[in-house]
Amino acid sequence: MKGNLKIYYDEEGDFLEIHIGEFEEGYFRNLGGGIFERVNKNTGKITGIAIASFKKRTSGLKELDLTLPMKIELSS
């Protein structure tokens, strides 16, 4: 999976989506517990993840330490 990492957060809905590459037609597959994987409709490949109630889950987190560029592998 190649492409730029895109991070989208809907504050009102408290929904975080992390996606790699350009958005193509697809759907979310529910993994349970408010975690979803975004699946490309044509290829069946996973192109991202989404987390419902993200802020609520991370309420105790004061800082996020990331090293860029980062490598992320998604698999089902």
Side-chain angles (χ1 to χ4, degrees):
M1 186 178 335
K2 294 183 180 182
N4 291 329
L5 180 69
K6 295 176 181 3
I7 300 174
Y8 168 77
Y9 178 67
D10 176 1
E11 190 168 0
E12 185 176 335
D14 194 17
F15 184 81
L16 175 78
E17 182 176 352
I18 301 171
H19 184 84
I20 298 175
E22 295 302 318
F23 283 100
E24 297 177 9
E25 191 172 351
Y27 59 92
F28 284 108
R29 184 171 23 224
N30 189 342
L31 301 176
I35 308 295
F36 305 86
E37 60 188 7
R38 181 180 255 283
V39 181
N40 181 300
K41 181 181 176 185
N42 297 320
T43 66
K45 292 186 178 186
I46 299 167
T47 58
I49 60 169
I51 303 169
S53 303
F54 179 75
K55 196 171 190 179
K56 182 179 177 182
R57 294 169 189 260
T58 59
S59 62
L61 186 64
K62 299 289 183 197
E63 183 177 312
L64 184 60
D65 186 15
L66 299 174
T67 302
L68 298 175
M70 68 171 60
K71 181 177 180 178
I72 297 177
E73 292 185 27
L74 303 173
S75 63
S76 55

